[in-house]
Amino acid sequence: MASLFTTYRPTEWSQLIGHSKLKLAIQRMKKRGSLGGRAFIISGASGIGKSTSAYLVAQDVCDPDNIVEINATVVTPKMVQDWAKTQGQLLIGSKPGRAIIINECHKMRTDCVTLLLEVLEDVKGHVVWIFTTQGHGKQMGLFDDDDSGALESRCVKFALKATDYRIHFAKHAMAIAEKEDLGGAVFQKYLDAADKTECNLRAMLSMVEAGEFLAGESNEVGMAELMELAGV
């Protein structure tokens, strides 16, 4: 069985919690046509919607089978060259584009960053590149590389902050907990969880699955319950 975070992962922009500036900007881009022909950098803390946002952008351009998702630590210059060679090709599917999602992109090798400078100069209209990272905002730049600014300038950048939407995240976690019969706690407890995790929805839903919001939760287990658990 899938985790609650996976089960309730948004499949359309209206389901994404918070991040109104990102959603408004994407909506206006789509009014002018596809989201293809661009590169994006989506940064922010863990569990607040970076990967989900990347997938929502990608699905505007191509079918799920044509999405490449990879961690930056394993990206090689040959991979970048191969992706560049196939940029002009339309793939099979109702949306014959291609999306390349590179996670934790601040860990990318210098030679890969250098190659991407040329690749991102001319992104085809049916292709989208999306970089996600928790490392944005460091003084050294997104990439620990002399080409950092040059690569970033080729991208549309979104820095996500979930704490601006703590009430929304708490309400969302509470609604899921109630739906899954794992709720019952007062709303303040969900707000406390949002603050504790910095609105990491993945962490909050893990707490839901662990039964931390069940009504009547007690740290003490009665004798009758112990006997039941022991099969007596």
Side-chain angles (χ1 to χ4, degrees):
M1 181 181 294
S3 68
L4 291 182
F5 183 76
T6 300
T7 300
Y8 289 94
R9 189 174 192 176
T11 56
E12 54 188 57
W13 286 106
S14 62
Q15 298 171 345
L16 184 68
I17 304 300
H19 311 315
S20 57
K21 192 175 293 185
L22 162 69
K23 291 188 283 190
L24 181 60
I26 291 293
Q27 184 182 51
R28 290 180 175 172
M29 286 181 202
K30 289 182 70 172
K31 282 184 178 180
R32 301 197 299 270
S34 169
L35 297 178
R38 297 180 177 87
F40 295 86
I41 293 174
I42 305 175
S43 64
S46 176
I48 65 171
K50 298 188 303 297
S51 295
T52 295
S53 298
Y55 266 93
L56 292 174
V57 169
Q59 74 179 20
D60 182 71
V61 176
C62 66
D63 291 342
D65 289 342
N66 297 335
I67 298 175
V68 174
E69 182 179 17
I70 192 167
N71 191 286
T73 57
V74 299
V75 174
T76 65
K78 186 180 185 308
M79 288 180 181
V80 176
Q81 290 167 344
D82 289 344
W83 292 328
K85 288 177 184 176
T86 59
Q87 272 203 122
Q89 300 174 2
L90 290 173
L91 303 176
I92 296 174
S94 59
K95 297 177 182 177
R98 180 191 298 274
I100 300 165
I101 301 173
I102 300 180
N103 295 317
E104 299 302 320
C105 63
H106 59 284
K107 299 178 181 179
M108 195 149 32
R109 290 170 42 166
T110 297
D111 46 7
C112 292
V113 174
T114 302
L115 282 171
L116 280 168
L117 292 180
E118 182 176 349
V119 174
L120 299 184
E121 274 291 333
D122 181 27
V123 181
K124 304 303 180 185
H126 59 277
V127 176
V128 63
W129 291 77
I130 312 164
F131 304 94
T132 74
T133 179
Q134 296 182 53
H136 207 201
K138 296 181 180 179
Q139 289 184 351
M140 65 182 181
L142 174 55
F143 304 97
D144 188 10
D145 184 270
D146 291 339
D147 291 325
S148 176
L151 194 147
E152 289 188 63
S153 69
R154 289 161 168 75
C155 301
V156 179
K157 295 186 288 185
F158 294 107
L160 304 187
K161 286 181 61 180
T163 50
D164 294 340
Y165 303 95
R166 60 188 289 269
I167 293 177
H168 297 79
F169 274 72
K171 285 182 177 179
H172 187 59
M174 186 175 187
I176 291 173
E178 297 294 336
K179 184 175 180 179
E180 295 292 330
D181 198 25
L182 289 167
V186 297
F187 182 60
Q188 183 60 49
K189 190 160 185 178
Y190 293 93
L191 277 176
D192 292 343
D195 292 336
K196 180 180 178 181
T197 64
E198 297 183 338
C199 293
N200 182 329
L201 188 58
R202 183 186 292 106
M204 292 174 71
L205 294 184
S206 293
M207 293 171 67
V208 170
E209 289 190 284
E212 295 192 27
F213 301 99
L214 287 170
E217 179 188 352
S218 173
N219 292 325
E220 297 182 1
V221 180
M223 181 59 69
E225 188 174 356
L226 280 174
M227 293 175 68
E228 182 181 348
L229 290 171
V232 177

